[in-house]
Amino acid sequence: QVQLVESGGGLVQAGGSLSLSCAASGRAFSRYNMGWFRQAPGKEREFVAAVSISDGSTYYADSVKGRFTISRDNAKNTVYLQMNSLKPEDTAVYYCAAGRPPYTDYAGRYEYWGQGTQVTVSS
C-alpha cells in the first residue's frame, strides 16, 4: 500500500514557475514508477510526466517537454515536478501516481493516486 500526498500548487502568472512535490508513505515507494497527471475542467485526465524506477529514465508529454522536469528522491520517498514557462493551458488539478513497472503513460495502469493539487496559470 502506498499513500501519496501532493503539495506546491497555487496561482502563478504565465511565464512563471511552480514546483510540485509528492510525498509517499511506505517502504514500497522504491518499487514503483512515479507519474504526474493533470485534469482540467471538462477534460479527461492526461499524462504529464513519469520517472522509471529501473533506471531513472524520464518521460514527458509533448505539451510539457522542455518546460517541465520530473525527478525522484528514493531516500525521501518523494517525487517532484518542476514546472517552468507556465502557460494558461497548464491550468489543471495535478495528480501524483504510483504504478508498477514497466513504464506507461496510461492512467489506468497506475495503482495509487494522490488527492491532487490545483495549479492555476493566469494570462
Side-chain angles (χ1 to χ4, degrees), residues 89-109:
E89 51 264 44
D90 294 319
T91 295
V93 177
Y94 282 70
Y95 297 91
C96 171
R100 295 182 186 273
Y103 155 76
T104 179
D105 61 2
Y106 175 53
R109 289 286 308 277

Side-chain angles (χ1 to χ4, degrees), residues 11 16-17 19 24 27 36 40 46 53 56 64 73 89 96 120 123:
L11 173 64
S17 299
S19 181
R27 298 181 178 179
W36 286 95
E46 65 173 0
I53 182 56
V64 307
D73 186 335
E89 51 264 44
C96 171
T120 303
S123 57

Side-chain angles (χ1 to χ4, degrees), residues 16-84:
S17 299
L18 279 176
S19 181
L20 304 183
S21 298
C22 174
S25 64
R27 298 181 178 179
F29 175 78
S30 61
R31 301 177 187 173
Y32 291 86
N33 293 334
M34 298 300 298
W36 286 95
F37 292 77
R38 65 187 182 187
Q39 188 166 17
K43 295 187 177 181
E44 293 187 352
R45 190 168 298 189
E46 65 173 0
F47 170 77
V48 175
V51 56
S52 168
I53 182 56
S54 60
D55 59 2
S57 296
T58 55
Y59 308 87
Y60 297 94
D62 288 343
S63 59
V64 307
K65 201 170 293 182
R67 300 188 297 122
F68 291 11
T69 302
I70 188 172
S71 61
R72 66 189 295 165
D73 186 335
N74 288 341
K76 295 182 178 180
N77 279 12
T78 302
V79 63
Y80 306 95
L81 185 68
Q82 177 64 42
M83 304 184 294
N84 299 327

